[in-house]
Amino acid sequence: MPYRVRISDINYGGHVSNAAVLSFFQDGRIGYLQQLGPFSEMDLGGCGIILPEANVQYKAEMFLGEELQIGVRIEELRRSSFIMGYRIERQGEVTAEGTTALVAFDYQERKVRRLPGAFREAVAAFEKLPQE
């Protein structure tokens, strides 16, 4: 998905902040889920997701007004969780990459759930991933 760097993304160093990159990941994740089907972070078909871990590797600075491309894919499906991979590029140059571990979570019951079947099937078909 395309993204133009805004002033609120910039830190005291004059480039995109660490927090903004995690927001870029979330924007990409939301877009991915919407493209995949009738899914959102709060509803994968009976439960939401919670993020216990995020990893980012910064490759190049990003600046105000730059046009970025945010790529997202699900790299691995597990019983109650999945790993999403992200790549941010500027005119073909990788500026940041990372992953997030996301766990199926029932916000009403406040506990981990199994990933819903319809979500697993949609991801497996889209990404051509094996299901556990």
Side-chain angles (χ1 to χ4, degrees):
M1 67 176 262
Y3 185 86
R4 181 182 293 271
V5 178
R6 303 168 306 182
I7 190 66
S8 60
D9 300 325
I10 302 301
N11 68 10
Y12 56 86
H15 54 225
V16 169
S17 73
N18 299 326
V21 171
L22 290 176
S23 290
F24 296 172
F25 285 5
Q26 184 176 29
D27 287 347
R29 181 169 56 250
I30 289 167
Y32 178 98
L33 293 172
Q34 289 172 343
Q35 282 191 330
L36 189 62
F39 304 114
S40 71
E41 290 183 313
M42 292 304 293
D43 187 7
L44 295 183
C47 65
I49 53 175
I50 195 165
L51 186 147
E53 180 180 337
N55 298 290
V56 182
Q57 296 89 43
Y58 302 96
K59 307 287 187 177
E61 292 177 292
M62 295 168 272
F63 300 99
L64 180 63
E66 288 185 330
E67 292 286 341
L68 306 175
Q69 289 292 319
I70 303 170
V72 183
R73 70 181 296 259
I74 293 180
E75 298 178 349
E76 185 179 338
L77 273 176
R78 298 177 183 160
R79 181 183 179 123
S80 297
S81 65
F82 57 98
I83 304 296
M84 275 194 133
Y86 309 84
R87 175 178 280 177
I88 301 172
E89 296 182 0
R90 174 187 50 231
Q91 298 177 348
E93 173 192 21
V94 177
T95 58
E97 294 179 306
T99 59
T100 56
L102 297 150
V103 177
F105 192 75
D106 183 325
Y107 280 89
Q108 297 295 321
E109 299 286 325
R110 310 305 295 180
K111 62 183 187 178
V112 172
R113 293 283 187 206
R114 191 172 185 154
L115 284 170
F119 176 76
R120 297 176 65 76
E121 291 168 11
V123 171
F126 184 73
E127 298 287 359
K128 298 175 181 41
L129 292 176
Q131 297 187 52
E132 274 188 16

